[in-house]
Amino acid sequence: MNYTLNQLQIFLKVSQTQSITKAAEELHLTQPAVSIQLKNFQDQFPIPLSEVVGRQLYITDFGKEVAVTAQKIIDEVQMLNQQTLAYKGKLVGKLKISAVSTGKYIMPYFLADFVSKHQGVELLLDVTNKAKVIESLKNNEVDFSLVSVLPHKLPIEKLELMQNKLYLVGNHQKIFKQKMYSQKIFEKLPLIYREQGSGTRYTMERFIEQKNLPVTKKMELTSNEAVKQAVIAGLGYSILPLIGIKNELLNQDLQIIPVKGFPIESIWHLIWLRSKNLTPVAQAYLHYIAQEKQKIIESKFSWYEGSLMPHKT
C-alpha cells in the first residue's frame, strides 16, 4: 500500500460528511479532485470503503474502521508537528473559541495577528447563537466565548472587548424626514425578530419590555444575515447590530431610523470559566488581547464611531 496523508485526510472528511461535494467544500478542493483521490485510496483496498445507494454515499463497516485509523494517524502527525515546533521554542496547541453570530464581524480581527505570529497554533472558531455558545462554554468544550450578553448563573471571568450598538433599521422604500422620532413609531413598523436563543433577540426583547413598546412581530428568522436580507427586501423592520450592516448602509440598501433612546448599547466580552485551567496557548492569547485590543479597535473599527449613524439622544 502506498496511500498518502492527503488521501487519508480526504477519506476522513468524506466519511464525516458522507458527501464528496460537502467534503470538497470543507477542504477547499474541487469535487473532481476529491473523487480522484478517493478512488486512488479505495484502489489500495480489496474491500469497499464506501457504497452509493440511490444518490446517497454510505461508508461501509470496513470503511468506518479505516476512518478511525485515519483519524489516529492524522492526530499523531499533528502531534509530531506540534512537538517539533515546541522543541524549537514555539507556541503550539489548539485555541478553541465559540462566538455569537454577530461576533463573526469582529472576532477574526482579534485573532489574525495572533495566529499569524504563532504558526503552531490551530484555531477552532465556532460561530453560532448565544444559547449554543453558552452551552459549549458550560460543557468546557472551548477556551473562550465571545458574547454580548453575559450569562447570569455561570461562574465566569471576563475581558471587555468593544461596544455593541443596535439600531432600528429599514430599507429605503419609505422616507423618514424627521431628525428624531419618538418610540411611538413602533406602533406603525412591523418588526422582524431573530430566533429564540439569539443575543440580538434577547437585547431587543429586553429593550422592548423595559420601554413597554407596542410592537408588532412580523416574522422570526434564524440569523442576522437572514433578517438583514428580509429588511432589504421590504418585509419589515428590525433592530440590528451596527457592526453587521456597514456595507448595506454605505450602499444605501438600509437606513438607520433615528429613534429616541437608540442605539441600544451592550458590550462584547471574551469570557471563560472561572475554574478553567487555561492552556499555554489560551494564556498567551489572553495576554495578547489585553495588550493589543485598543490598537485593533483603533485600526480596524475607527468607522464604528464615525458618521454612519445618528448620535444617541
Side-chain angles (χ1 to χ4, degrees), residues 59-187:
I59 305 301
T60 64
D61 289 342
F62 178 66
K64 292 176 182 177
E65 293 181 14
V66 172
V68 170
T69 302
Q71 183 68 71
K72 291 179 180 178
I73 293 172
I74 292 169
D75 288 344
E76 290 293 330
V77 170
Q78 290 177 342
M79 185 177 297
L80 180 60
N81 291 337
Q82 291 179 0
Q83 288 172 340
T84 302
L85 290 168
Y87 188 78
K88 294 166 67 176
K90 295 184 178 181
L91 190 64
V92 295
K94 293 182 178 180
L95 178 62
K96 295 177 285 187
I97 299 175
S98 59
V100 294
S101 55
T102 50
K104 66 186 177 184
Y105 298 109
I106 68 167
M107 202 64 222
Y109 297 101
F110 287 95
L111 286 163
D113 285 347
F114 180 81
V115 174
S116 178
K117 289 175 181 177
H118 302 289
Q119 298 295 322
V121 172
E122 180 184 354
L123 174 64
L124 301 174
L125 176 61
D126 180 34
V127 179
T128 183
N129 68 26
K130 178 179 74 76
K132 293 180 180 178
V133 166
I134 298 303
E135 187 68 20
S136 66
L137 186 70
K138 182 179 178 181
N139 293 337
N140 199 29
E141 297 170 354
V142 295
D143 299 308
F144 303 107
S145 292
L146 178 72
V147 296
S148 58
V149 179
L150 293 172
H152 297 299
K153 299 181 180 180
L154 203 59
I156 60 166
E157 300 289 346
K158 65 182 186 295
L159 178 65
E160 181 178 318
L161 284 191
M162 58 184 285
Q163 269 196 339
N164 183 24
K165 305 175 185 180
L166 291 86
Y167 288 86
L168 177 64
V169 299
N171 66 12
H172 278 270
Q173 290 178 356
K174 184 174 180 180
I175 298 175
F176 293 87
K177 296 182 178 180
Q178 293 181 211
K179 290 185 177 180
M180 189 63 59
Y181 287 84
S182 75
Q183 293 173 357
K184 289 184 179 180
I185 194 173
F186 284 96
E187 296 176 0

Side-chain angles (χ1 to χ4, degrees), residues 214-277:
V215 302
T216 301
K217 182 179 175 183
K218 180 73 172 180
M219 65 180 69
E220 181 177 306
L221 298 172
T222 57
S223 71
N224 280 332
E225 187 62 33
V227 173
K228 183 166 60 177
Q229 294 303 321
V231 174
I232 291 173
L235 292 175
Y237 299 79
S238 193
I239 296 172
L240 287 173
L242 175 64
I243 197 73
I245 58 173
K246 176 185 177 182
N247 291 335
E248 288 74 18
L249 292 174
L250 292 174
N251 294 335
Q252 297 189 340
D253 294 321
L254 291 176
Q255 62 173 319
I256 288 174
I257 303 167
V259 177
K260 188 174 182 180
F262 280 78
I264 307 170
E265 295 180 348
S266 61
I267 301 291
W268 276 299
H269 285 93
L270 198 66
I271 63 174
W272 62 98
L273 291 177
R274 186 172 297 161
S275 58
K276 185 172 181 63
N277 293 319

Side-chain angles (χ1 to χ4, degrees), residues 91 114 118 279-289:
L91 190 64
F114 180 81
H118 302 289
T279 65
V281 170
Q283 291 177 16
Y285 181 66
L286 202 57
H287 177 73
Y288 165 81
I289 288 297

